[in-house]
Amino acid sequence: MPYKHLGEDAFDDEKYLKALNYFQKAYSLGDRSSELLLNLALTYEALGNDEEAMKTFKELTLIDPDECRAYYGIGSILDERNDLKAALPYYEKAIALNPFYDRAYFFLASGYDELGDTEKAIMYYKELLNLVPDDFWGLTNLGSIYENNGLYEEAYNLFYKTYEIDAQDATSLFNMGVICGRLKRFEDAILYYKKALKLEPSPYTFLNLAVLYKDIGFLDKGLHYLTEGINENPDCGFLYYNRACFWALDLNKNHILDETLLNNALTDFQKSVNINKEFLTYGEKDEDLKLVLSHYYRS
């Protein structure tokens, strides 16, 4: 059996060093086919040798300038190096050669989103979803862009599709909680957040649920979920910070200083600062903590 085929079998079995040995032997015997170069580049990539992978992908573009996977490979390596501006033209070259290259559309969209070019991000996510209508992360990411831009109905439609794809996914449930809250469907939002927490005790879900309860007038329930969140995530500074704010809100309602509430707020604020000193700077600008901070600096 030719070395190239032996390498392919080893690669399929995830025996990458063995595959590399076979592919290198085929290369040393003069095989410069695009198939071999692609396999060799992918094997280097699987082994974490991005320098050799990059070199081989570039050699492949010279041997076969129409091989879209070579440009995608170069783009993905540059992407991993956080060099998005350099990566994106390679993804674009890949889809120019193969308009059905759905992964290239995905990383183009996410790359432009990260660079702040929302218009292009939306365009490429739409192209992706035209090809793969049930792409979970394409739906999720485009929904998040719409939600951030105040297009709540559009976001809801996309998030609901992810929920239909996987009703037991914590991210999907969290996003449904977010968008239902935006749409003032508070009972639905609470239900989705609670379902998400059963699957994954994320501090962000505890925070969102607590803030939602606070916003609709149930501060005690908000405190309850912040406390649960802290029990599950004891090193999460923003949960302590927000619980300090909740104690302070309760404290600020009273005309007589409640020492218990003040001490609770001071303790939580100090814990948040111990975890991340930036909370001190943030707290100095927070009107909710004005009274608490005045006592904090006295202690």
Side-chain angles (χ1 to χ4, degrees), residues 3-4 21-32 36:
Y3 287 121
K4 181 169 64 177
N21 181 52
Y22 285 129
F23 290 141
Q24 286 177 330
K25 282 183 179 178
Y27 186 90
S28 70
L29 292 171
D31 187 342
R32 296 296 186 275
L36 176 71

Side-chain angles (χ1 to χ4, degrees), residues 44-91:
Y44 280 129
E45 208 171 16
L47 290 167
N49 189 340
D50 288 346
E51 290 297 330
E52 288 299 321
M54 177 73 85
K55 187 191 303 183
T56 310
F57 279 130
K58 286 183 175 179
E59 184 179 354
L60 177 53
T61 65
L62 299 175
I63 297 292
D64 186 356
D66 294 328
E67 177 49 78
C68 62
R69 291 172 292 181
Y71 300 99
Y72 177 85
I74 294 169
S76 65
I77 291 171
L78 293 169
D79 203 339
E80 284 291 320
R81 294 175 180 175
N82 294 316
D83 192 353
L84 276 175
K85 288 184 179 179
L88 295 178
Y90 285 101
Y91 290 139

